[in-house]
């Protein structure tokens, strides 16, 4: 399995428009972060988790020529606004399989009604194949996927576990019953937005506490804002098994 970090930034990305914050002015490539998303590949399959407003460029930058579908964590724009850019993949597949909670699917159908409504459909609009998920394990071809219910502030969203790898973004808290699904991980990918507390995201201290509780073999931090600081400085203070993800980082997993 291969995981490519397509984006590791928050809803504004880094650099933030109009910002003179030192991190936004950084020349270090690792400090330039598009909106958060990953590409998962195994055998001949390729799936994206979330397609935000940078989706088109992320696909071009990573030279992605085909995908088999998109999994959504929740409905916020930085995770969904690129839905229209599924068009090239829709031209290949006919309808692109998408996976989301019912609330999220309903939200997408309202915001992108021209995609979901087949009546008098514009020929250039993408088409999607809706797959509503709940808290039960499901299959992506030959891969089992276990949804993890997490709390993004008061909003119930999902992360995903694939084998011994879990991808969780926009976490603030996780109920004890869902933490049971996160035992014996080889790799955990989780958000850490900044040092100061945040009402709906883990800050660095909270993320490290949760990592210490779950005890994955390795952890990669994502959904990072410029307020966390420079990549080169933050990586010096992290535990030896915790790393900062950055755009275009590729993990090859046996």
């Amino acid at each position: 399995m291969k995981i490519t970090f397509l984006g590791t930034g928050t809803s504004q990305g880094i650099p933030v428009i109009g910002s003179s914050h030192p991190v936004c002015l950084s020349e270090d490539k690792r400090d330039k972060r598009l909106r958060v998303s990953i590409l998962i590949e195994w055998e001949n399959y390729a799936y994206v988790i979330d397609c935000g407003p940078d989706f088109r460029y992320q696909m071009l930058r990573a030279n992605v020529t085909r995908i088999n579908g998109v999994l959504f964590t929740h409905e916020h724009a930085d995770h969904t606004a690129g839905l229209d850019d599924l068009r090239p993949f829709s031209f290949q597949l006919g309808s692109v399989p998408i996976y989301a909670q019912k609330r999220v699917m309903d939200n997408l159908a309202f915001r992108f009604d021209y995609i979901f409504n087949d009546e008098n459909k514009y020929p250039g609009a993408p088409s999607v194949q809706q797959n509503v998920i709940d808290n039960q394990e499901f299959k992506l071809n030959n891969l089992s996927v276990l949804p993890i219910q997490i709390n993004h502030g008061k909003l119930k969203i999902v992360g995903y576990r694939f084998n011994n790898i879990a991808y969780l973004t926009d976490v603030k808290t996780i109920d004890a019953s869902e933490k049971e699904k996160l035992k014996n991980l080889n790799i955990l990918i989780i958000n850490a937005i900044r040092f100061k507390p945040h009402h709906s995201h883990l800050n660095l201290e909270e993320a490290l506490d949760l990592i210490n509780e779950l005890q994955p073999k390795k952890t990669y931090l994502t959904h990072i804002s410029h307020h966390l600081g420079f990549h080169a400085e933050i990586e010096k203070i992290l535990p030896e098994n915790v790393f900062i993800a950055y755009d275009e980082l590729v993990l090859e997993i046996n």
Side-chain angles (χ1 to χ4, degrees), residues 155-174:
L155 187 67
K156 299 289 186 181
I157 69 172
V158 294
Y160 297 99
R161 177 169 180 160
F162 311 85
N163 297 329
N164 292 324
I165 303 162
Y167 180 79
L168 311 177
T169 185
D170 291 46
V171 180
K172 180 61 179 180
T173 60
I174 306 177

Side-chain angles (χ1 to χ4, degrees), residues 36-55:
V36 69
S37 177
I38 61 170
L39 171 71
I40 302 172
E41 299 172 272
W42 74 98
E43 297 176 5
N44 294 316
Y45 304 112
Y47 286 82
V48 173
I49 299 184
D50 289 334
C51 62
D54 300 314
F55 179 73

Side-chain angles (χ1 to χ4, degrees), residues 230-244:
F230 294 101
H231 183 111
E233 296 300 319
I234 300 304
E235 66 179 358
K236 294 176 183 177
I237 66 171
L238 295 176
E240 63 179 3
N241 64 334
V242 179
F243 308 90
I244 307 180

Side-chain angles (χ1 to χ4, degrees), residues 37-107:
S37 177
I38 61 170
L39 171 71
I40 302 172
E41 299 172 272
W42 74 98
E43 297 176 5
N44 294 316
Y45 304 112
Y47 286 82
V48 173
I49 299 184
D50 289 334
C51 62
D54 300 314
F55 179 73
R56 173 184 171 274
Y57 178 63
Q58 288 168 337
M59 295 295 95
L60 292 170
R61 184 175 66 175
N63 194 30
V64 179
T65 58
R66 49 171 290 279
I67 62 171
N68 297 95
V70 180
L71 287 73
F72 289 101
T73 59
H74 63 295
E75 61 268 46
H76 288 167
D78 54 323
H79 299 259
T80 60
L83 191 65
D84 185 78
D85 285 322
L86 289 176
R87 278 184 288 171
F89 300 121
S90 179
F91 298 157
Q92 291 176 0
L93 296 173
S95 294
V96 179
I98 63 172
Y99 300 79
Q101 300 172 89
K102 185 179 186 304
R103 183 197 74 235
V104 176
M105 201 72 78
D106 290 345
N107 178 277

Side-chain angles (χ1 to χ4, degrees), residues 1 3 5 38 49 146 148 150 158-171 174 178-179 181-192 202 204 206-224 238 241-245 249 251 253:
M1 180 176 284
I3 295 177
F5 288 86
I38 61 170
I49 299 184
L146 182 62
I148 312 295
I150 54 186
V158 294
Y160 297 99
R161 177 169 180 160
F162 311 85
N163 297 329
N164 292 324
I165 303 162
Y167 180 79
L168 311 177
T169 185
D170 291 46
V171 180
I174 306 177
E178 297 300 295
K179 288 180 182 177
K181 300 178 182 178
L182 297 169
K183 290 184 174 180
N184 303 311
L185 289 172
N186 289 338
I187 294 177
L188 171 64
I189 302 167
I190 196 164
N191 55 294
L202 295 169
L204 181 60
E206 291 167 333
L208 293 176
D209 286 345
L210 182 56
I211 292 163
N212 189 54
E213 179 182 353
L214 298 175
Q215 289 291 306
K217 291 182 179 177
K218 289 184 178 180
T219 300
Y220 292 84
L221 304 178
T222 192
H223 205 285
I224 293 161
L238 295 176
N241 64 334
V242 179
F243 308 90
I244 307 180
L249 172 66
L251 305 180
I253 302 154

